[in-house]
Amino acid sequence: MDKGPTKKTDLQTAYNTDTAGNATDPKYYNASEERKQKYDDALKAAKDVLGNENATQKQVDDAKKALEAAKSKLDGKTTDKDALQKDVDDSSITKTNDKYYNASQDKKQAYDEALAQATKLLNDKNASQKAVDEAVANLTKAKTELNGEPNFIGGDYTPSEPSTPSTETPAEKTTEKILMHASYLYDNKGIKIDKPTVKSYVTAVVAETPVTINGIKYYKVAGKDEYIKAGNIDGTLRVITHNSYIYNNKGKATRNKGIKRLVKKTRIVRTYGAPINIKGHMMYRIAKNRYIKARNFEGTLRRLSHNSFVYDENGKATRNKGIRRLLKKSRIVRTFDAPVKINGHMMYRVDNGYVKVKNFK
């Protein structure tokens, strides 16, 4: 009796569905190697039966059952990316550390490449657990191999405490701080010392507790009678009065996925040090190579009672195309912070330099 042609439709459908879905199904790509192998073997057997013109109906039905059974035992779970996300988030801190920015080029490049791969996997919704775990391991390894040495200023730094009590004057408690803004050194009266400026991002060893000199907060350099303004280290919290773009040190607006980064009005932002001139605009540093225009922060509006030249932080008149900058009498100017003494004159900082206090009403 003729049993008719072998029916392969159901097996073909199961085979097509499974081969198409494996790449996006964590049950498959995160399964144990043993169960994945058994499933792959069943899938191959199904393909062989589908290609066999002489296959019996029993062979087709058995191949379909074997494929379904192997599929039901796949034990993969959704990929866990929490550890990878944390490492990528921490990279913003790592990149401001001297171990990174003072590292040799090959070590820094290895870290950057591992970070790029980690970021790529975070954005890949079909990334396997194995690939994610390898990315975590690679990024951790690259981070531990960063070989940058700290640029210390200050005396010998020994973080350990003496093991036995001492009757001598206790050593000052010190800590490490990263300078977020180039800094002058001052003496214990707040007078600038004739020494080179300490560069940005240098690690300074300073006394734990800041001191106040002439109303300004300073950190004492460990083992020396030298002081650094705390605002260059801890920063100052300021309120944004206008929506503000974030710029780099070339004066170009920074972008995220092609969109300019914007800080909204009323947000509180931490700034570091005095503003600096970038492409004709006075800007505050808010992070490494990130700046916001000084005029977008709160200040105090004051009216000039005299025509007033504008000076830089060294007391030299600023110029535009060779002509000294002049603010006209009666003009209302926004000033920032308490006045400071520059070359014997008390001055208010304005959004493009400094103006003598005596020129205001």
Side-chain angles (χ1 to χ4, degrees):
M1 180 178 176
D2 188 359
K3 295 183 179 180
T6 300
K7 295 181 180 179
K8 299 182 179 180
T9 304
D10 290 345
L11 178 61
Q12 185 70 63
T13 300
Y15 178 83
N16 291 345
T17 301
D18 286 5
T19 53
N22 288 344
T24 60
D25 189 350
K27 283 189 175 182
Y28 172 78
Y29 60 70
N30 282 336
S32 63
E33 290 302 321
E34 179 184 1
R35 297 195 178 194
K36 191 190 293 187
Q37 185 60 56
K38 287 183 177 179
Y39 178 79
D40 288 344
D41 290 344
L43 199 62
K44 182 179 182 304
K47 181 179 180 180
D48 291 341
V49 169
L50 287 170
N52 182 2
E53 295 181 356
N54 299 317
T56 65
Q57 189 64 54
K58 183 176 185 307
Q59 288 176 313
V60 170
D61 294 342
D62 288 347
K64 183 173 179 292
K65 288 178 182 179
L67 184 59
E68 290 173 343
K71 182 177 181 178
S72 68
K73 293 179 180 179
L74 291 173
D75 56 358
K77 292 181 171 49
T78 302
T79 301
D80 182 358
K81 297 182 179 180
D82 288 350
L84 188 63
Q85 183 70 64
K86 181 180 183 303
D87 286 351
V88 170
D89 290 344
D90 288 348
S91 67
S92 60
I93 299 174
T94 298
K95 287 200 168 189
T96 63
N97 190 286
D98 46 28
K99 276 188 170 293
Y100 173 83
Y101 61 75
N102 283 339
S104 58
Q105 190 57 40
D106 60 326
K107 299 299 184 184
K108 192 183 292 188
Q109 183 176 343
Y111 180 82
D112 289 345
E113 290 175 353
L115 180 61
Q117 178 60 22
T119 304
K120 180 179 178 181
L121 286 174
L122 278 180
N123 296 323
D124 182 359
K125 63 181 181 181
N126 298 322
S128 70
Q129 191 66 57
K130 181 180 179 182
V132 167
D133 292 344
E134 287 177 352
V136 170
N138 289 338
L139 190 56
T140 300
K141 179 175 181 289
K143 181 178 178 180
T144 59
E145 290 181 352
L146 291 171
N147 56 1
E149 294 293 335
N151 295 320
F152 284 114
I153 68 167
D156 293 334
Y157 177 53
T158 307
S160 59
E161 296 292 332
S163 57
T164 57
S166 172
T167 58
E168 298 177 2
T169 303
E172 61 183 357
K173 292 184 178 180
T174 58
T175 186
E176 296 177 27
K177 298 277 189 179
I178 295 178
L179 271 68
M180 292 300 295
H181 192 285
S183 307
Y184 292 115
L185 292 169
Y186 298 83
D187 64 16
N188 58 16
K189 295 181 180 179
I191 299 173
K192 191 187 302 180
I193 296 173
D194 186 17
K195 278 192 172 185
T197 302
V198 184
K199 294 182 178 180
S200 303
Y201 315 125
V202 165
T203 299
V205 183
V206 297
E208 275 189 359
T209 306
V211 297
T212 300
I213 303 173
N214 297 333
I216 300 174
K217 190 180 291 185
Y218 294 81
Y219 279 104
K220 180 182 178 297
V221 178
K224 297 185 179 182
D225 190 23
E226 298 174 351
Y227 297 79
I228 297 172
K229 287 184 178 179
N232 294 332
I233 295 174
D234 297 335
T236 302
L237 295 177
R238 303 179 191 276
V239 178
I240 293 282
T241 56
H242 300 277
N243 290 347
S244 306
Y245 291 121
I246 300 175
Y247 299 86
N248 62 20
N249 57 13
K250 304 295 184 184
K252 293 185 177 180
T254 61
R255 296 173 181 269
N256 181 21
K257 297 181 180 179
I259 300 173
K260 288 183 179 180
R261 294 178 183 272
L262 184 70
V263 181
K264 294 292 185 71
K265 177 181 178 181
T266 73
R267 180 172 173 180
I268 297 174
V269 177
R270 188 178 295 277
T271 68
Y272 297 94
I276 60 176
N277 192 317
I278 299 177
K279 298 294 185 180
H281 298 281
M282 298 304 293
M283 297 196 189
Y284 274 117
R285 177 176 289 159
I286 62 169
K288 187 174 182 181
N289 196 23
R290 293 293 182 266
Y291 301 84
I292 288 179
K293 291 178 180 177
R295 68 188 184 195
N296 291 338
F297 289 95
E298 66 178 346
T300 301
L301 295 177
R302 303 177 191 275
R303 187 182 297 276
L304 287 167
S305 56
H306 300 277
N307 289 345
S308 305
F309 291 118
V310 180
Y311 299 87
D312 65 18
E313 61 183 11
N314 296 313
K316 293 183 178 180
T318 61
R319 296 174 181 271
N320 181 20
K321 297 181 180 179
I323 301 173
R324 296 174 71 177
R325 294 179 183 271
L326 182 70
L327 301 179
K328 294 293 185 70
K329 176 183 176 180
S330 299
R331 177 171 173 174
I332 295 176
V333 178
R334 187 180 296 275
T335 68
F336 302 90
D337 309 324
V340 295
K341 183 177 283 188
I342 300 176
N343 286 352
H345 298 281
M346 297 305 294
M347 297 195 186
Y348 277 119
R349 184 178 59 75
V350 296
D351 63 9
N352 60 349
Y354 295 83
V355 172
K356 292 177 181 178
V357 171
K358 68 182 183 182
N359 290 339
F360 290 95
K361 286 185 177 179

